[in-house]
Amino acid sequence: MTDQEIVALYWQRDEGAIGETQQKYGGYLTRIAWQVLGDRRDSEESVNDTYLKAWNAMPPSRPALLASFLARITRQLSIDRFRAKNRQKRGGGEYAASLDELADCVSGNQTPQSEAELRLLGQAVSGYLAGLPRRTRAVFISRYFYLDPLKEIAAQTGSTEQAVKSLLHRTRAGLREHLEKEGFAV
C-alpha cells in the first residue's frame, strides 16, 4: 500500500490505517525508538504511542512524507520517555552518547527564550548541513537524528569507526563555527 493510500485511510478514520502503518513502518520505527531507549518494552510503547499520535494528527495534517512524519513522532516520544526515565541520572545508550558529542555545539543547559529563536537555530543548522557533502550530511544525520551507533555507520559507509569519529568531530567543529558566525552563543 502506498503512503498516500495509508494517509487516506487515516483521513477516512479507518482503523486499518494503523495496521497498514505497522506493517510498512513498524520495524523502521522500532529501530528509531530502540536507538534512543535501548529497551524493548519502552521501544514498543513509543511505537504504539506513535500510531495513536498519528491517528490524532491526521486529519488535519496530511504529511507529504509519511515515513519522515512517523519518524519525527517516534523520535520525540522516545526522547520524552528517555528523559522521564532518567531524570535523576544520565542514562546510557546512543541517545546519551550522541548528546555528549553535540554538547560543545549546542548547550542543553540554556532554555530557549522563544519559539522564534528555536526556529532560527534550526534554520542555521539546516543551512550548515545543506552545504555539506552528501556523505558527510548522511553520516551526521545517521548519528544525531537516527542515533545510529558509530560501528553501524562505519559499516554502512565502508569506513572505519575512527574515520567516522574523525568526520563527525570535524563536522561538529564546523557546525560550532557556523553557529557562532550566525550569532548563536555556543
Side-chain angles (χ1 to χ4, degrees):
M1 183 169 261
T2 69
D3 286 357
Q4 292 83 5
E5 292 170 329
I6 294 172
V7 170
L9 290 176
Y10 279 103
W11 273 70
Q12 295 165 8
R13 307 313 285 163
D14 184 332
E15 291 178 12
I18 294 173
E20 292 294 334
T21 303
Q22 185 175 22
Q23 181 178 345
K24 187 168 184 179
Y25 293 111
Y28 171 65
L29 300 175
T30 300
R31 181 168 182 251
I32 292 170
W34 173 261
Q35 297 291 44
V36 174
L37 297 164
D39 181 87
R40 184 183 56 79
R41 272 195 193 151
D42 287 342
S43 298
E44 289 171 0
E45 287 182 34
S46 285
V47 172
N48 286 332
D49 289 347
T50 297
Y51 301 142
L52 176 62
K53 194 160 185 172
W55 179 264
N56 290 331
M58 292 184 276
S61 294
R62 188 179 289 274
L65 299 171
L66 185 59
S68 297
F69 177 78
L70 296 169
R72 188 173 38 246
I73 292 171
T74 301
R75 184 174 182 272
Q76 190 57 57
L77 289 171
S78 298
I79 289 170
D80 290 346
R81 186 175 303 276
F82 177 88
R83 287 179 178 154
K85 284 187 73 170
N86 296 288
R87 289 216 197 284
Q88 299 302 322
K89 62 179 176 80
R90 188 85 182 253
E94 293 303 320
Y95 177 64
S98 66
L99 282 182
D100 287 342
E101 292 170 11
L102 281 174
D104 63 339
C105 295
V106 180
S107 171
N109 296 334
Q110 297 174 340
T111 304
Q113 295 183 4
S114 71
E115 197 171 303
E117 288 175 349
L118 275 178
R119 256 187 249 131
L120 289 173
L121 176 61
Q123 289 171 353
V125 171
S126 293
Y128 174 73
L129 292 176
L132 293 176
R134 184 178 183 161
R135 179 179 176 271
T136 304
R137 184 174 50 246
V139 167
F140 190 89
I141 290 170
S142 289
R143 181 66 177 156
Y144 300 118
F145 182 81
Y146 292 109
L147 307 170
D148 290 338
L150 294 171
K151 187 178 205 173
E152 195 172 303
I153 296 170
Q156 290 171 356
T157 60
S159 302
T160 65
E161 265 188 76
Q162 189 56 42
V164 171
K165 282 182 185 179
S166 180
L167 177 66
L168 289 169
H169 176 76
R170 287 191 311 273
T171 306
R172 288 191 311 270
L175 175 59
R176 179 184 175 109
E177 184 179 316
H178 177 77
L179 291 176
E180 287 172 347
K181 284 180 184 174
E182 293 289 318
F184 292 96
V186 182

Short mmCIF file of all heavy atoms in Angstrom, two decimals, residues 19 47 83 137 144 148 170 176:
data_model
loop_
_atom_site.label_atom_id
_atom_site.label_comp_id
_atom_site.label_asym_id
_atom_site.label_seq_id
_atom_site.Cartn_x
_atom_site.Cartn_y
_atom_site.Cartn_z
N GLY A 19 -2.90 -0.64 11.16
CA GLY A 19 -2.34 -1.94 10.75
C GLY A 19 -1.42 -1.81 9.55
O GLY A 19 -0.35 -2.41 9.51
N VAL A 47 6.52 3.19 19.93
CA VAL A 47 5.97 2.95 18.59
C VAL A 47 4.44 2.91 18.65
O VAL A 47 3.77 3.51 17.80
CB VAL A 47 6.57 1.67 17.97
CG1 VAL A 47 5.86 1.31 16.68
CG2 VAL A 47 8.06 1.85 17.74
N ARG A 83 13.89 10.81 28.80
CA ARG A 83 14.07 11.86 29.81
C ARG A 83 13.27 11.55 31.07
O ARG A 83 13.77 11.75 32.18
CB ARG A 83 13.65 13.21 29.24
CG ARG A 83 14.62 13.75 28.24
CD ARG A 83 14.15 15.08 27.70
NE ARG A 83 15.13 15.62 26.76
CZ ARG A 83 14.83 16.44 25.78
NH1 ARG A 83 13.59 16.85 25.60
NH2 ARG A 83 15.78 16.89 24.98
N ARG A 137 26.82 14.73 5.34
CA ARG A 137 25.47 15.03 5.85
C ARG A 137 24.77 13.74 6.26
O ARG A 137 24.14 13.68 7.33
CB ARG A 137 24.67 15.77 4.78
CG ARG A 137 23.29 16.21 5.25
CD ARG A 137 22.55 17.08 4.23
NE ARG A 137 22.51 16.50 2.90
CZ ARG A 137 23.11 17.02 1.83
NH1 ARG A 137 23.81 18.13 1.93
NH2 ARG A 137 23.01 16.43 0.66
N TYR A 144 23.07 11.74 14.63
CA TYR A 144 22.39 12.67 15.53
C TYR A 144 20.88 12.76 15.35
O TYR A 144 20.21 13.32 16.20
CB TYR A 144 23.04 14.05 15.45
CG TYR A 144 24.49 13.97 15.83
CD1 TYR A 144 25.50 14.29 14.93
CD2 TYR A 144 24.87 13.51 17.08
CE1 TYR A 144 26.83 14.19 15.28
CE2 TYR A 144 26.20 13.39 17.44
CZ TYR A 144 27.18 13.74 16.53
OH TYR A 144 28.49 13.61 16.88
N ASP A 148 22.26 6.29 15.25
CA ASP A 148 22.93 5.04 14.90
C ASP A 148 24.27 4.95 15.61
O ASP A 148 24.98 5.95 15.74
CB ASP A 148 23.16 4.95 13.40
CG ASP A 148 21.86 4.77 12.62
OD1 ASP A 148 20.87 4.31 13.22
OD2 ASP A 148 21.85 5.09 11.41
N ARG A 170 35.07 16.76 12.99
CA ARG A 170 35.27 17.90 12.09
C ARG A 170 33.94 18.57 11.76
O ARG A 170 33.85 19.80 11.69
CB ARG A 170 35.98 17.45 10.81
CG ARG A 170 37.44 17.13 10.99
CD ARG A 170 38.15 16.94 9.66
NE ARG A 170 37.48 16.06 8.72
CZ ARG A 170 37.63 14.75 8.67
NH1 ARG A 170 38.45 14.15 9.52
NH2 ARG A 170 36.99 14.03 7.77
N ARG A 176 29.81 24.25 14.99
CA ARG A 176 30.04 25.21 16.08
C ARG A 176 30.48 26.56 15.51
O ARG A 176 29.95 27.61 15.87
CB ARG A 176 31.08 24.67 17.05
CG ARG A 176 31.38 25.61 18.19
CD ARG A 176 32.51 25.05 19.07
NE ARG A 176 32.84 26.01 20.06
CZ ARG A 176 32.55 25.88 21.35
NH1 ARG A 176 31.96 24.80 21.79
NH2 ARG A 176 32.88 26.82 22.20
#
